[in-house]
Amino acid sequence: MTVSAGSAGWYLRRLSRMGPREVAGRAGDAVRRRRWRSARPSRPSVTGARFTAVLPAGAIAAVPPDAAKRLVAEADRLMAGHIEYFGVARDDLADPDWWYDPKTGRRAPWGYAFDVPYRDEDVTGDIKQIWELSRHQYLTVLAAAYAVTGNDRYAERVAEHLRAWWSANAPLRGVHWISGIELGIRLLSWVWVRRLLDGWQGAAELFEDNPVAHSQIYHHQRWLAAFPSRGSSANNHVIAEAAGQAAAACAFGWFPASGRWRADALRSLERHLSGNTFASGLNRELATEYHGLVLELGLAAVAEADAAGVPVPAPVRSTLLRMTDALAAVVDSRLRPPRQGDADDGHGLVLDGTGTDRWASLLATGNAVFGRLDWWPEVTGTDVRTPLLAALIEPAHLPVPRPASRPDHFADAGLTILRGPDLRGPKEIWCRCDGGPHGFLSIAAHAHADALSVEVRHDGVDVLADPGTFCYHGQPAWRQYFRSTLGHNTLQLDGADQSVSGGPFLWTRHARSRVLAADTAGTAGVAEEGVARWCAEHDGYAPSVHRRRVELAAAERELRVIDEVRGPRRSVRLAFHLGPAITAELAGDRAVLTWTRDGEDRSAVLDLPGQLSWRAHRGETEPPLGWYSAGFGRKEPATTLLGTGVADGAEGFTTVLRFRD
């Protein structure tokens, strides 16, 4: 069932997932919004505004030349007016319309911020397209280009656009004053813009000596203090709010409330960063891109506090350390992490040009800040952000135990990595097995109905792929497909999802999974027969239980998946989604898979359960089936092998994937 956000049914379902404290908090927010509607925005009191959180001497010189070259190339493209967001190219960046959505051609309506129907694409347009430009992360790129080159034209464009944005987006008016995550990330961008423009003669006039800048910075922080994300919504959004508030209150501590805002933000960051993170270091939303976003935001907040000489609660650093080690543990041989849960291409701080690897950059920063462990994968790429962040963050010895060897089973998150070398070459077989909770908090906003799904790569190539996310708002059929059980490498009963959706960011019933066995030592040749094994089950189809076993025999280059359905006779669909690089020839219950990697032809054979009838689907739209989304707003046809039949409990379904020369 699809329920549109904003409908009466959606509001009732959303309310049902809130506790009394959250309901009371939201009622207070509603009263405050009504009061603020008619109140004239106050003029902030500012005394002695100075900016002292500058980069240490030598920080810019530490930027690697190739990273600087990519940065300048990107800045020149931006100066020419070109940018792309979520698969949509726009050429109006020289003089942008801040409320225009180039995807639908619509402009968001003007008015009191909380009256704007931002979830209604027919009225407002695609809100992600509108909001992304006003995160001002393209301005941090231009400012970084100024810092690297000293060319005033980059700084002048930044100043021109900031003044235009401030003039066009008065406090509490319009679409850019609706969402706290947007305000938090925008504040973080402004802090870095000011820092990177420090050598420019117009920097103080743009910020410290500018009453309009004072008003914008003040009202952004006042908003964040008044309307924090609450209860069931306290996921990555509250981290962005706290990080942006902390950063601005440290770098722009010009207001009487700055000390209180700073202290409150750091307390919030400590509480919610810990609450959003498993003890193992993985993000509780079980959506990998949000792990990256939260890690970026946390590191940026620590950098600001250290630059201002403000003490950071010790748990903040230890949580970021655990997150970094966890990221190093789960990436494949090409430094790609799992494709799990929602992904919207969101970044906390952008200082780099196109072609810079996000995950390599985070690991490089982790190495600079915390020090790498012996088992970490090697990072060979370069970036601009790492040396600049590392120049601000104070070295600290954390009395936190770190893994002596590479973790591959994260019991609290229910995530297991089976991996092993392809012994006929330096290629890795990598398999993620999902037996974890259905997302985070009562609404599990960014979860997918993917219990017991697997994701398999060979030398970094998606073979059995997680199809991704593609969209959030405005296209409900596509949103439903990409987060559905059918849209993942797992088994579906009676045509239903394992968990029940109540809207695009709301699940009203969550499948419960449990891992029964995880023997990953086989990848090192220690376990019996040199086979790594994993087994888990879930109750999403009660009274039936779906149990899955996965076995990886790396020496034989073979992965075996055994599905059992315990309970009454049910119709079944078993899906295997292939990566976009994979070509499949299906004959009966056998598929021959071929692809090319680094100019080399490679292949595998997929033997499918003979009890099911198999068909290949590719790029179908009514209903959607056979798609892969490499990034938000982008999708491409890919092959899905779908088996249909009946599960009667008599026998399991066995699938065998064998890699060949």
Side-chain angles (χ1 to χ4, degrees):
M1 175 176 60
T2 300
V3 180
S4 62
S7 68
W10 178 84
Y11 279 111
L12 289 173
R13 288 169 173 81
R14 186 66 184 85
L15 184 64
S16 73
R17 309 306 294 176
M18 300 181 194
R21 185 173 180 178
E22 181 179 355
V23 171
R26 289 178 181 272
D29 290 346
V31 171
R32 192 172 298 110
R33 287 168 181 164
R34 286 198 297 271
R35 188 169 68 245
W36 283 23
R37 179 199 303 271
S38 56
R40 185 180 181 85
S42 56
R43 178 174 295 181
S45 172
V46 179
T47 56
R50 295 174 58 237
F51 186 82
T52 59
V54 298
L55 286 168
I60 295 297
V63 173
D66 58 332
K69 182 178 179 180
R70 290 195 304 272
L71 166 67
V72 172
E74 178 71 6
D76 288 342
R77 189 170 72 95
L78 297 173
M79 291 291 290
H82 307 305
I83 200 165
E84 180 179 311
Y85 288 133
F86 314 129
V88 178
R90 54 190 301 174
D91 298 316
D92 63 341
L93 198 62
D95 183 20
D97 182 338
W98 307 110
W99 313 298
Y100 175 69
D101 164 29
K103 177 181 167 185
T104 64
R106 297 186 178 93
R107 294 186 82 249
W110 181 247
Y112 183 56
F114 298 115
D115 291 341
V116 176
Y118 70 96
R119 293 189 180 98
D120 189 340
E121 187 169 300
D122 290 337
V123 175
T124 304
D126 185 331
I127 194 62
K128 288 280 291 177
Q129 289 286 344
I130 296 172
W131 277 345
E132 192 69 17
L133 184 67
S134 287
R135 289 187 171 188
H136 288 172
Q137 292 175 329
Y138 78 95
L139 294 182
T140 57
V141 171
L142 290 174
Y146 165 77
V148 167
T149 66
N151 190 323
D152 285 354
R153 70 189 186 102
Y154 300 121
E156 290 163 357
R157 177 63 60 83
V158 171
E160 175 189 341
H161 280 206
L162 276 180
R163 288 193 173 100
W165 195 94
W166 290 336
S167 175
N169 292 275
L172 297 176
R173 293 295 180 267
V175 73
H176 296 302
W177 289 87
I178 295 172
S179 174
I181 188 174
E182 304 305 317
L183 275 73
I185 290 177
R186 192 154 54 238
L187 279 175
L188 193 57
S189 295
W190 292 352
V191 169
W192 274 89
V193 163
R194 175 60 186 87
R195 171 175 294 123
L196 293 164
L197 295 186
D198 191 61
W200 181 54
Q201 61 181 2
E205 181 183 357
L206 181 62
F207 282 94
E208 295 95 291
D209 302 334
N210 186 354
V212 176
H214 298 168
S215 177
Q216 286 282 345
I217 295 167
Y218 171 82
H219 283 290
H220 271 66
Q221 294 184 84
R222 179 172 177 256
W223 192 109
L224 291 172
F227 302 112
S229 293
R230 301 180 184 276
S232 56
S233 292
N235 52 13
N236 64 86
H237 283 230
V238 77
I239 304 294
E241 293 160 10
Q245 181 80 295
C250 286
F252 302 137
W254 306 333
F255 312 103
S258 291
R260 172 171 54 85
W261 287 338
R262 182 168 55 241
D264 290 348
L266 287 173
R267 280 195 296 269
S268 177
L269 187 66
E270 176 186 9
R271 173 190 170 196
H272 290 292
L273 192 60
S274 176
N276 274 254
T277 308
F278 286 113
S280 65
L282 290 178
N283 184 267
R284 285 184 181 269
E285 292 196 77
L286 294 174
T288 310
E289 281 213 4
Y290 287 105
H291 182 108
L293 173 65
V294 168
L295 181 53
E296 289 170 352
L297 291 166
L299 289 167
V302 168
E304 294 309 325
D306 285 355
V310 175
V312 176
V316 170
R317 294 185 199 270
S318 61
T319 300
L320 296 174
L321 170 59
R322 286 187 287 113
M323 292 181 70
T324 305
D325 280 340
L327 176 62
V330 300
V331 295
D332 65 21
S333 60
R334 303 277 179 150
L335 301 185
R336 294 179 61 222
R339 283 168 53 89
Q340 183 179 20
D342 272 349
D344 73 346
D345 297 357
H347 290 257
L349 175 65
V350 180
L351 302 177
D352 279 279
T354 301
T356 301
D357 185 274
R358 175 186 199 169
W359 308 105
S361 171
L362 276 171
L363 291 177
T365 303
N367 180 23
V369 172
F370 303 119
R372 69 184 304 277
L373 296 172
D374 290 341
W375 54 261
W376 274 31
E378 292 292 334
V379 176
T380 57
T382 63
D383 67 315
V384 174
R385 188 177 61 188
T386 288
L388 302 189
L389 276 177
L392 296 175
I393 297 177
E394 294 291 334
H397 174 70
L398 301 179
V400 177
R402 300 176 69 182
S405 59
R406 190 173 197 172
D408 41 33
H409 176 57
F410 299 81
D412 47 11
L415 184 146
T416 304
I417 304 292
L418 307 181
R419 73 171 83 227
D422 181 333
L423 299 182
R424 301 187 193 182
K427 308 170 186 67
E428 178 192 58
I429 300 170
W430 178 98
C431 174
R432 172 180 66 87
C433 304
D434 180 5
H438 180 73
F440 180 48
L441 300 174
S442 61
I443 64 173
H446 291 298
H448 290 186
D450 57 356
L452 310 195
S453 64
V454 296
E455 185 183 0
V456 181
R457 299 176 191 160
H458 184 268
D459 194 19
V461 174
D462 291 317
V463 178
L464 302 183
D466 184 299
T469 299
F470 177 56
C471 66
Y472 281 170
H473 299 283
Q475 301 177 77
W478 289 104
R479 176 65 170 153
Q480 181 181 12
Y481 168 69
F482 275 99
R483 68 205 292 255
S484 70
T485 299
L486 183 62
H488 294 84
N489 297 318
T490 188
L491 183 144
Q492 182 194 59
L493 296 182
D494 293 345
D497 285 338
Q498 309 151 338
S499 297
V500 177
S501 172
F505 298 99
L506 172 63
W507 296 91
T508 56
R509 184 175 63 77
H510 304 179
R512 293 175 299 176
S513 303
R514 62 175 183 147
V515 176
L516 305 175
D519 178 9
T520 59
T523 57
V526 177
E528 181 183 359
E529 302 171 357
V531 177
R533 294 182 173 88
W534 173 87
C535 181
E537 64 184 20
H538 75 84
D539 67 355
Y541 293 119
S544 297
V545 173
H546 173 207
R547 177 175 292 183
R548 168 169 277 186
R549 288 182 289 134
V550 179
E551 300 173 351
L552 173 61
E556 283 74 37
R557 311 168 81 195
E558 179 179 291
L559 185 83
R560 186 177 295 264
V561 180
I562 303 98
D563 290 293
E564 301 175 23
V565 179
R566 303 185 176 191
R569 182 182 176 92
R570 311 280 290 270
S571 66
V572 62
R573 293 198 291 185
L574 179 60
F576 290 106
H577 301 268
L578 308 182
I582 308 299
T583 298
E585 293 185 8
L586 177 65
D589 56 8
R590 168 170 284 199
V592 176
L593 314 181
T594 56
W595 66 98
T596 301
R597 177 62 151 170
D598 298 332
E600 178 184 340
D601 292 335
R602 302 180 186 178
S603 66
V605 172
L606 188 62
D607 286 322
L608 302 158
Q611 310 100 303
L612 303 178
S613 298
W614 291 91
R615 286 188 57 196
H617 302 263
R618 185 176 180 86
E620 298 174 10
T621 58
E622 296 182 359
L625 186 60
W627 295 91
Y628 179 95
S629 174
F632 197 83
R634 293 174 285 148
K635 68 180 186 300
E636 59 185 300
T639 300
T640 293
L641 302 175
L642 184 63
T644 59
V646 173
D648 58 12
E651 58 181 329
F653 305 103
T654 299
T655 304
V656 181
L657 175 63
R658 297 183 182 88
F659 293 98
R660 308 192 304 189
D661 290 332

